[in-house]
Amino acid sequence: MTKQHFDEIDIVKGIAILFVLWHHSFIKFPIYMLDIPWCKYAMAIHGTFFLNVFFLVSGYLFAHSKPRTFVENFKKKASRLLIPYFCYEAVNLGVKTALPQLVNRKVGGQVEYIEDMLLKGGELWFVYVLFFIFLIWPPILHRLSKKGIAGIIGMLAIACQVIPGDFNDSIFLYPRILSYSVFFLAGYVMKDVNRDILSCNRNFGIVSVLFVVFCCLLVQTIKVPYVWNYFLAFIGCWFVWALSFQLLKVKPASRFLGFCGKYSLSFYWLNGFALVPARMLVVKILHVENTPLIAISIFLICVMSEVIAIRLIKRIPVVKTMVGM
């Protein structure tokens, strides 16, 4: 079985990684923007999909990939995820140690930093969680029926509510692994879903209305525990996936978003370093005070600088491996 390629998935990942960069443009340093009402509202909207959809499509793509043994899978994911993870953390530690005045999260000590990197996901926690998900589920998924996987999804959703632990600061980030496993497994179960359902204009219209009503207009209004969050997340993911089929018809947009999706891990890797000069330029040198303009400016600077960096890095084999290409 050869790995299938889905052009719309590159666009899905492209949209998602751009929203990751947009989310990071709501800076915490040298000014704190996260408590500003419009920032909180924007984060609530894109928070319904921008991380969840990565895990959803990861499960979907895994379902269409070549079967591998545990050892083969470990080697592949170690090369694809662990090498960029440890390279990033090493470079990041060096920068924070050498230039502490430029960063918002100081290094308490090298030992503390290494412990956090090994046990709590460090600063590239998304890669850390994704690696563990690929370590846990692939060896057993082929043994389970769809009903069995659906049952596990339900149990995981419940477990996220009843098992104690800080979502952001637990050992091995197990609450995040449980939570995002729901989307990974849901993507796996979707492997036999007819893609025409997502590409249908009528269905795109329906999910667009649902997204606007629930994920935009009511996202901060209805307060229902966890089940509501999953409801919003799956609508957001469905909307982005359906939107990707529509964008396939718009060549300039599909090419750019496809590029961003193909190199989404590299964008994520580079963003922490692109943010530092971007926010210094906008806030410290240009003295921009309007918060929407700050966010837009930082976002555009990061996107453009990272596109240039990726095009250059593609020519350097060693650095390509470091940033996950």
Side-chain angles (χ1 to χ4, degrees), residues 150-171:
I152 291 175
I153 290 173
M155 289 189 289
L156 286 173
I158 295 171
C160 289
Q161 281 295 284
V162 299
I163 294 179
D166 188 326
F167 192 75
N168 299 315
D169 196 39
S170 295
I171 188 168

Side-chain angles (χ1 to χ4, degrees), residues 9-55:
I9 297 294
D10 283 341
I11 293 177
V12 169
K13 293 194 295 182
I15 294 170
I17 195 61
L18 288 179
F19 272 99
V20 170
L21 269 58
W22 172 241
H23 180 85
H24 290 168
S25 298
F26 301 158
I27 57 175
K28 302 178 184 178
F29 177 83
I31 63 172
Y32 193 85
M33 292 174 57
L34 301 191
D35 288 335
I36 298 172
W38 78 265
C39 291
K40 293 174 72 174
Y41 178 58
M43 287 189 293
I45 293 174
H46 66 245
T48 62
F49 65 85
F50 80 124
L51 292 176
N52 303 319
V53 77
F54 273 116
F55 292 96

Side-chain angles (χ1 to χ4, degrees), residues 168-180:
N168 299 315
D169 196 39
S170 295
I171 188 168
F172 298 125
L173 293 182
Y174 70 86
R176 291 195 183 197
I177 292 172
L178 294 176
S179 179
Y180 289 118

Side-chain angles (χ1 to χ4, degrees), residues 72-295:
E72 289 173 337
N73 185 62
F74 179 85
K75 288 180 178 178
K76 179 177 175 61
K77 295 308 172 185
S79 173
R80 175 70 173 149
L81 298 174
L82 285 190
I83 291 176
Y85 176 76
F86 285 117
C87 287
Y88 175 89
E89 295 295 348
V91 174
N92 188 51
L93 176 60
V95 171
K96 287 194 170 194
T97 303
L99 302 168
Q101 69 275 16
L102 297 181
V103 299
N104 63 314
R105 285 180 286 188
K106 314 297 182 185
V107 175
Q110 292 183 353
V111 173
E112 180 184 340
Y113 186 93
I114 292 171
E115 287 180 350
D116 185 66
M117 174 186 69
L118 294 175
L119 301 179
K120 297 182 179 179
E123 298 200 10
L124 220 60
W125 69 264
F126 172 87
V127 176
Y128 184 88
V129 169
L130 187 60
F131 175 76
F132 272 104
I133 286 176
F134 271 113
L135 201 64
I136 295 167
W137 295 113
I140 63 175
L141 281 177
H142 70 282
R143 304 172 188 269
L144 301 172
S145 65
K146 284 188 177 181
K147 288 184 179 179
I149 297 174
I152 291 175
I153 290 173
M155 289 189 289
L156 286 173
I158 295 171
C160 289
Q161 281 295 284
V162 299
I163 294 179
D166 188 326
F167 192 75
N168 299 315
D169 196 39
S170 295
I171 188 168
F172 298 125
L173 293 182
Y174 70 86
R176 291 195 183 197
I177 292 172
L178 294 176
S179 179
Y180 289 118
S181 287
V182 170
F183 297 95
F184 181 85
L185 295 177
Y188 183 87
V189 170
M190 290 175 60
K191 63 182 176 181
D192 296 323
V193 171
N194 190 335
R195 292 161 66 238
D196 292 339
I197 294 174
L198 289 167
S199 62
C200 171
N201 290 337
R202 179 173 174 272
N203 288 341
F204 174 65
I206 293 171
V207 74
S208 296
V209 171
L210 291 174
F211 180 77
V212 169
V213 172
F214 290 104
C215 298
C216 296
L217 299 179
L218 300 178
V219 67
Q220 289 184 314
T221 304
I222 300 177
K223 302 297 181 183
V224 180
Y226 231 65
V227 173
W228 173 247
N229 293 335
Y230 278 118
F231 175 71
L232 293 180
F234 279 109
I235 288 179
C237 292
W238 181 19
F239 169 72
V240 173
W241 206 334
L243 176 63
S244 69
F245 282 99
Q246 302 299 315
L247 291 172
L248 277 174
K249 306 168 188 176
V250 185
K251 292 305 179 184
S254 65
R255 282 197 296 269
F256 176 69
L257 290 171
F259 175 86
C260 294
K262 181 179 180 181
Y263 298 107
S264 56
L265 178 57
S266 301
F267 273 97
Y268 183 54
W269 199 101
L270 291 166
N271 190 230
F273 303 112
L275 274 171
V276 174
R279 68 190 179 204
M280 290 298 109
L281 172 63
V282 173
V283 178
K284 289 292 190 179
I285 297 175
L286 298 180
H287 302 291
V288 177
E289 297 180 353
N290 180 275
T291 52
L293 185 56
I294 289 174

